[in-house]
Amino acid sequence: MAILVTGGAGYIGSHTCVELLQKGYEVIILDNFSNSNPEALKRVTAITGKDFKTYNADLLDKQTIIQVFSENEINAVIHFAGLKSVGESVAIPLQYYQNNMTGTVNLCEVMSWYGVKKLVFSSSATVYGATDKVPIDEETTLGAINPYGRTKQMIEEILGDLFRSDQAWSIAMLRYFNPIGAHPSGLIGEDPNGIPNNLLPYISQVAAGSRQRLSIFGDDYATKDGTGVRDYIHVVDLAIGHLHALEKVQSTQGIDAFNLGTGRGYSVLEMVRAFEKASMKSIPYTIERRRPGDAAVCFANPEKARNQLNWQANRGIDVMCEDTWRWQYYNPVGYKETFDKQIVGKTPLHQATGFLMP
Ligand code: NAD
Ligand code: UD1
């Protein structure tokens, strides 16, 4: 069973490829490495002991997508490839619309030509916009509030139109809440470019000493301790969710959206404390003004995924923070150096990686 994984070298894609390979799927990756590093794929092989085909290709180049489909017997597609920074999407909206939407339209067009009509798509909880009704279920009215979020919402609409035009399609749109964590091996994880925008990558760089302190964006929200509350989900749980969605699209026809979250919310301060415990480092912080566009509270109602995908998240915040820290500790410069170089001289953490690069 061959699965095309677009964006397979990225953060969530690489973790999903590990789970796919471990389950015996054949994996074919298409990625233009605009926000990832081929080193991640070497590490996917190191973890799984399996090889796979990789195309260094752009979804904006339809000819190459055709080449990928003509050279492989693809059964289904998991589509991660996209640009994902909210701030950047406000600054360069046209690039976001072109990359995310045109890329998806090109992909679906070629899939259609080759009769491959099973698709798992990376959507985002960001499609719900600034709702204050929690927990958020899939019936909540969509209302993305920035260009990135609107690309996801519009792609969901495009996929709906596609299904209505041809009911042979089977599409799962997965609305992720806040993915964090890393593979327990410490070999793959999130490797943001420049200053991280998201909370956990920032906290882990503070713990590692590469940033001085965390700025907490507001402590005057109507939450348990005044700081923002989110539904953090371990990236391995999220990756496994894709395998469940894949089974669903392979066994049925239709289109549906599923929240992938834990159903539990944690505040920024709770995450700081959990990370301090996992890393045994202190995380200095200052309280700053609220970040524009931030909701006070956001967490999922994950019942639909539990009932219809037979999936639920199992890893709690302690494991999420431990795994994030192991990744940060062993890979202080992410994928910019090979693992064996970065690990030299390091005192093993309480849980060693158990994996070494060949
Ligand atoms: P990522 O940036 O690590 O991975 C995306 C991958 O897609 C990268 O490897 C990038 O090089 C590739 N890519 C981008 N545009 C491409 C193109 N035109 N052609 C080929 N490859 C291309 O991001 P991620 O965190 O792994 O997210 C994966 C998907 O999940 C994205 O669509 C993102 O919008 C969505 N998502 C992510 C989060 C999150 O917090 N990480 C939350 C919700 C949704
Ligand atoms: C952000 C994106 C959202 C995306 C999600 C998952 C914005 C406005 N939204 O959401 O579209 O789907 O990531 O990747 O960027 N925080 C701090 N200090 C920091 C960073 C964050 O206090 O340096 C706080 C935030 O105010 C928030 C919480 O930590 O309360 C989580 O922030 P973040 O990790 O950026 O995720 P989201 O805000 O949920």
Side-chain angles (χ1 to χ4, degrees):
M1 178 79 60
I3 311 299
L4 174 65
V5 183
T6 76
Y11 172 44
I12 306 168
S14 56
H15 287 81
T16 304
C17 288
V18 166
E19 299 302 320
L20 287 167
L21 291 162
Q22 286 177 338
K23 278 271 186 229
Y25 286 100
E26 184 190 337
V27 166
I28 296 149
I29 292 178
L30 183 162
D31 201 303
N32 65 1
F33 299 102
S34 59
N35 196 38
S36 52
N37 190 315
E39 173 70 16
L41 298 180
K42 289 193 189 149
R43 298 182 183 200
V44 169
T45 297
I47 293 169
T48 59
K50 297 196 175 159
D51 268 324
F52 44 83
K53 253 195 213 175
T54 302
Y55 289 85
N56 182 346
D58 195 313
L59 285 178
L60 297 181
D61 173 6
K62 215 189 287 182
Q63 278 311 316
T64 327
I65 312 177
I66 292 172
Q67 188 193 339
V68 174
F69 276 81
S70 66
E71 290 178 1
N72 301 281
E73 286 269 320
I74 293 165
N75 299 90
V77 178
I78 306 183
H79 176 34
F80 293 103
L83 299 174
K84 63 165 181 179
S85 159
V86 172
E88 192 179 63
S89 80
V90 174
I92 48 167
L94 295 183
Q95 257 168 269
Y96 269 66
Y97 287 114
Q98 184 174 50
N99 191 76
N100 293 2
M101 297 180 60
T102 307
T104 304
V105 169
N106 285 348
L107 173 68
C108 290
E109 204 167 16
V110 178
M111 286 175 70
S112 183
W113 292 338
Y114 282 82
V116 180
K117 298 186 177 178
K118 300 189 179 308
L119 175 67
V120 176
F121 168 63
S122 295
S123 186
S124 168
T126 202
V127 296
Y128 296 118
T131 178
D132 49 9
K133 186 185 147 281
V134 286
I136 300 173
D137 65 28
E138 291 82 354
E139 300 310 310
T140 305
T141 309
L142 304 191
I145 58 169
N146 52 61
Y148 163 66
R150 280 190 279 273
T151 67
K152 294 292 178 190
Q153 190 175 336
M154 289 184 203
I155 291 168
E156 286 200 7
E157 286 172 14
I158 291 170
L159 296 177
D161 288 338
L162 178 61
F163 175 72
R164 281 182 288 279
S165 74
D166 176 359
Q167 280 152 35
W169 279 87
S170 183
I171 303 172
M173 304 183 294
L174 305 182
R175 296 176 181 160
Y176 314 151
F177 280 68
N178 291 60
I180 63 168
H183 191 267
S185 62
L187 281 174
I188 57 171
E190 188 170 10
D191 184 18
N193 277 327
I195 302 170
N197 295 312
N198 295 121
L199 181 65
L200 257 286
Y202 204 104
I203 288 182
S204 61
Q205 292 191 7
V206 174
S210 49
R211 309 220 170 259
Q212 266 195 324
R213 64 178 58 82
L214 171 72
S215 298
I216 295 186
F217 301 141
D219 68 348
D220 55 352
Y221 287 106
T223 60
K224 45 192 143 188
D225 56 27
T227 63
V229 168
R230 296 290 183 275
D231 186 337
Y232 297 95
I233 174 169
H234 196 296
V235 66
V236 172
D237 278 329
L238 191 63
I240 294 168
H242 289 74
L243 272 68
H244 287 246
L246 194 58
E247 281 170 21
K248 170 94 173 164
V249 297
Q250 274 164 336
S251 59
T252 53
Q253 282 164 354
I255 180 165
D256 221 338
F258 299 95
N259 286 341
L260 295 190
T262 65
R264 282 205 60 171
Y266 288 96
S267 74
V268 176
L269 282 171
E270 285 174 324
M271 296 309 288
V272 168
R273 303 286 169 244
F275 207 88
E276 286 182 328
K277 186 172 142 210
S279 62
M280 294 187 285
K281 303 276 180 194
S282 79
I283 315 284
Y285 64 82
T286 54
I287 304 294
E288 308 291 340
R289 276 202 300 255
R290 292 179 180 193
R291 184 171 66 179
D294 269 358
V297 182
C298 174
F299 61 93
N301 175 343
E303 281 308 307
K304 186 172 172 187
R306 200 191 330 249
N307 295 334
Q308 296 188 31
L309 301 181
N310 193 25
W311 169 89
Q312 68 178 46
N314 292 317
R315 291 159 180 80
I317 55 162
D318 288 341
V319 174
M320 297 185 210
C321 292
E322 279 162 21
D323 289 342
T324 305
W325 176 238
R326 190 180 305 100
W327 157 254
Q328 173 68 45
Y329 179 78
Y330 285 119
N331 305 273
V333 294
Y335 294 119
K336 285 164 206 78
E337 281 279 5
T338 54
F339 186 72
D340 51 349
K341 282 201 182 131
Q342 300 194 73
I343 201 169
V344 172
K346 289 251 161 69
T347 314
L349 282 179
H350 44 291
Q351 292 155 299
T353 72
F355 292 82
L356 283 177
M357 292 295 281

